[in-house]
Amino acid sequence: MSLGHALRRVVEEYPLARTEPPAGHPLAHVIRKGAPDELRRALAPLDGSFLVKGSPGRGSHWAAVPWLAVFDPAVTTSATRGYYLVYLFPAHRQAVHLSLAQGTVAAIREHGPRSGDHLRASGARLRERLSDFSDVLPVSAITLGSGGELPEGYEAAHILGLTYDLADLGDERRLRADLATGLAAYRALKARGGLELTAQRLKCQ
């Protein structure tokens, strides 16, 4: 299995898998183990120590939007806070978003009903600081096709990235090159102050 094959399996099989119990489901295993293993292999030639996790949901519930993420432990080890690089699988189309994203749950806890506005404003500021990546990671907004606090939070938390249709996932070389680009943007954001400078600016407005 390659990274592209793992991503393709999630895209193609998730809609049907959600109609079945997640406990012991083969696709849940792919998202938790197989896909993260392939992502680790793709990251291996790149310098750095990263934590990789995949989530099909919790307990007896499938996630509305499953994800596969790369975390810099110096920034965060969780999708709830900080910022990270993540593959998101929308519910309404056969596609995958590669997203440099902000932690959603922490923003919801801190800002409540205004969390979406906060994340979008923060994302706009962060895109300005990463303007040198705008040509190679041109997608500045994503849709996930699912209502609810978390999917809508993921949409608002997006900073920049790429979107792949199903046919794109057969190009392993491109996927790995794009992963390296996304990782470069992640590192650049860290070097340029992460979320801290943006938070300070938003408080001053």
Side-chain angles (χ1 to χ4, degrees), residues 3 39 43 46 50-54 67-73 75-76 78-79 81-88 97-103 130 133 137 157-162 164 175-187 189:
L3 176 60
L39 183 50
L43 289 167
L46 308 173
F50 299 98
L51 179 65
V52 177
K53 295 180 183 178
W67 52 262
L68 175 64
V70 179
F71 304 102
D72 178 344
V75 174
T76 185
S78 166
R81 60 188 180 275
Y83 51 98
Y84 56 99
L85 193 64
V86 62
Y87 293 96
L88 294 166
H97 300 299
L98 176 61
S99 171
L100 181 60
Q102 306 164 79
L130 294 171
F133 288 92
L137 298 170
H158 175 77
I159 303 168
L160 45 71
L162 293 164
Y164 303 103
L175 291 175
R176 289 181 176 236
D178 291 344
L179 176 62
T181 301
L183 201 60
Y186 191 4
R187 287 170 163 159
L189 181 55

Side-chain angles (χ1 to χ4, degrees), residues 68-197:
L68 175 64
V70 179
F71 304 102
D72 178 344
V75 174
T76 185
T77 58
S78 166
T80 64
R81 60 188 180 275
Y83 51 98
Y84 56 99
L85 193 64
V86 62
Y87 293 96
L88 294 166
F89 300 85
H92 66 308
R93 57 181 287 203
Q94 288 194 318
V96 185
H97 300 299
L98 176 61
S99 171
L100 181 60
Q102 306 164 79
T104 302
V105 174
I108 291 171
R109 288 173 179 166
E110 182 175 354
H111 299 282
R114 297 183 295 106
S115 60
D117 292 338
H118 169 80
L119 287 166
R120 280 185 285 271
S122 175
R125 292 281 192 183
L126 294 170
R127 275 190 294 278
E128 291 176 4
R129 286 168 48 204
L130 294 171
S131 59
D132 47 326
F133 288 92
S134 61
D135 289 341
V136 288
L137 298 170
V139 175
S140 59
I142 60 172
T143 57
L144 296 171
S146 181
E149 194 172 56
L150 276 179
E152 291 173 1
Y154 294 153
E155 291 175 349
H158 175 77
I159 303 168
L160 45 71
L162 293 164
T163 297
Y164 303 103
D165 291 323
L166 200 59
D168 299 325
L169 300 179
D171 190 342
E172 187 74 10
R173 183 174 296 180
R174 175 189 169 188
L175 291 175
R176 289 181 176 236
D178 291 344
L179 176 62
T181 301
L183 201 60
Y186 191 4
R187 287 170 163 159
L189 181 55
K190 179 182 175 183
R192 297 170 192 179
L195 303 183
E196 295 304 319
L197 294 177

Side-chain angles (χ1 to χ4, degrees), residues 12-70:
E12 291 185 323
E13 298 177 26
Y14 199 74
L16 180 59
R18 288 190 68 188
T19 67
E20 302 167 352
H25 198 286
L27 189 64
H29 180 74
V30 167
I31 297 170
R32 289 195 180 101
K33 182 72 169 61
D37 283 349
E38 291 303 328
L39 183 50
R40 290 185 192 98
R41 290 188 185 98
L43 289 167
L46 308 173
D47 291 334
S49 177
F50 299 98
L51 179 65
V52 177
K53 295 180 183 178
S55 175
R58 286 188 176 183
S60 61
H61 300 283
W62 291 100
V65 177
W67 52 262
L68 175 64
V70 179

